[in-house]
Amino acid sequence: MIKNTDSSLTFSKRKFSAFKKADELSTLCGSELAVVMFSPSGKAFSYGNPSVNSILYQFMGLDPLKTLDPISHELLEAQNNLRVREIEARIADVEDMLKLEQQRELSLDMTNHAKKRWWEQSFEEMSLTELHLRKDKIEELKIFFEEQKKMKMLTE
């Protein structure tokens, strides 16, 4: 009895992993696939994208649109639309993360630029952003010295 419970538990874990890998393969490659497994007790489990039935119909050379009733076809379309929205949401999240990382990189570049003795760094070592920062700092420095010169001339 214990051995049967252990094999059922192992099957359950492996089944989940196999279905997860099938979903990843389908999503990453844009492929249609079906996986059918039988538990040690003989119970069937399946995963399919877009559905097990549509893959089997395709495999058998049947037209799923002619074979499926209208309700099943609508469910299939709804499932496909849901997957597209999920993928679009993932893409939007990744794009947002990329923007944040780019902003953080720029912030780090600016911080590192401020920490260094920017007037000693060679131009070859600098990024375009750092070159623009250096130009801005030199212009600020020039304005500062001009203001100091005017102040000194007024006091003398």
Side-chain angles (χ1 to χ4, degrees), residues 44-102:
F45 295 91
S46 63
Y47 167 83
N49 181 28
S51 74
V52 174
N53 287 340
S54 67
I55 300 300
L56 293 177
Y57 290 143
Q58 185 178 352
F59 180 74
M60 294 184 298
L62 300 173
D63 184 1
L65 298 178
K66 292 180 182 174
T67 309
L68 292 177
D69 60 16
I71 294 173
S72 296
H73 181 66
E74 287 177 21
L75 288 173
L76 184 62
E77 283 297 315
Q79 182 185 16
N80 286 341
N81 291 337
L82 177 64
R83 289 186 63 86
V84 167
R85 285 192 299 273
E86 288 173 351
I87 290 170
E88 287 173 345
R90 286 182 195 170
I91 290 170
D93 289 344
V94 169
E95 286 174 344
D96 290 344
M97 288 172 45
L98 177 62
K99 286 177 186 175
L100 287 173
E101 286 300 317
Q102 288 171 339

Side-chain angles (χ1 to χ4, degrees), residues 2-153:
I2 301 234
K3 185 175 182 179
N4 191 19
T5 304
D6 289 343
S7 66
S8 294
L9 182 62
T10 301
F11 174 80
S12 178
K13 289 179 182 179
R14 300 291 186 229
K15 176 188 69 161
F16 175 77
S17 297
F19 288 169
K20 184 176 179 182
K21 289 293 181 187
D23 181 61
E24 289 173 1
L25 178 66
S26 175
T27 302
L28 292 173
C29 300
S31 62
E32 297 179 355
L33 59 85
V35 177
V36 179
M37 291 185 199
F38 291 91
S39 70
S41 64
K43 185 175 178 182
F45 295 91
S46 63
Y47 167 83
N49 181 28
S51 74
V52 174
N53 287 340
S54 67
I55 300 300
L56 293 177
Y57 290 143
Q58 185 178 352
F59 180 74
M60 294 184 298
L62 300 173
D63 184 1
L65 298 178
K66 292 180 182 174
T67 309
L68 292 177
D69 60 16
I71 294 173
S72 296
H73 181 66
E74 287 177 21
L75 288 173
L76 184 62
E77 283 297 315
Q79 182 185 16
N80 286 341
N81 291 337
L82 177 64
R83 289 186 63 86
V84 167
R85 285 192 299 273
E86 288 173 351
I87 290 170
E88 287 173 345
R90 286 182 195 170
I91 290 170
D93 289 344
V94 169
E95 286 174 344
D96 290 344
M97 288 172 45
L98 177 62
K99 286 177 186 175
L100 287 173
E101 286 300 317
Q102 288 171 339
Q103 290 173 351
R104 186 168 32 174
E105 181 182 10
L106 179 61
S107 176
L108 284 173
D109 284 347
M110 295 169 100
T111 302
N112 288 337
H113 181 75
K115 287 180 182 176
K116 296 178 184 173
R117 297 173 70 176
W118 56 269
W119 57 88
E120 293 179 353
Q121 187 178 9
S122 73
F123 292 112
E124 292 80 22
E125 297 175 4
M126 298 173 73
S127 69
L128 184 60
T129 304
E130 290 173 323
L131 287 170
H132 285 296
L133 285 171
R134 179 178 279 190
K135 178 184 173 247
D136 293 344
K137 291 294 182 188
I138 290 174
E139 287 174 356
E140 288 175 17
L141 194 57
K142 179 182 175 187
I143 291 169
F144 174 77
F145 281 124
E146 287 174 355
E147 289 174 356
Q148 291 299 316
K149 180 181 172 184
K150 284 180 187 177
M151 294 295 289
K152 193 152 193 134
M153 290 175 75

